[in-house]
Structure formats: structure tokens, C-alpha cells
Amino acid sequence: MPNWFQNQIRKAFYEKDYYQVKMLNQCWFFYQKKESLRL
């Protein structure tokens, strides 16, 4: 997981910004799925 992404998630959790957390999670899972299809 990229460093900037970890920072975004940490910040969202710290601020209890659940919408942001959910959005970042969806982005990450989408990215993971896309990467696994590429292999």
C-alpha cells in the first residue's frame, strides 16, 4: 500500500470521517482487484 494512501486512511480514521474511510477502502479494493487481474 503506497505511503500517501496510508496517510490518507490514517487521517480519515483520526478525524472519524467514515465517508472518506469507506471511499478509500473501495478505491483500494478496486485497485487490488485490477492489479490481480493484470498478473
Side-chain angles (χ1 to χ4, degrees), residues 1-13 24 28:
M1 187 181 288
N3 212 8
W4 61 268
F5 200 86
Q6 288 179 1
N7 291 339
Q8 288 281 325
I9 289 183
R10 206 170 287 131
K11 183 170 175 282
F13 268 113
L24 286 167
W28 180 246

Side-chain angles (χ1 to χ4, degrees), residues 5-30:
F5 200 86
Q6 288 179 1
N7 291 339
Q8 288 281 325
I9 289 183
R10 206 170 287 131
K11 183 170 175 282
F13 268 113
Y14 180 73
E15 294 173 357
K16 292 185 169 53
D17 185 351
Y18 297 116
Y19 175 77
Q20 181 83 353
V21 171
K22 194 161 41 171
M23 197 175 69
L24 286 167
N25 269 339
Q26 286 174 343
C27 289
W28 180 246
F29 284 121
F30 177 75

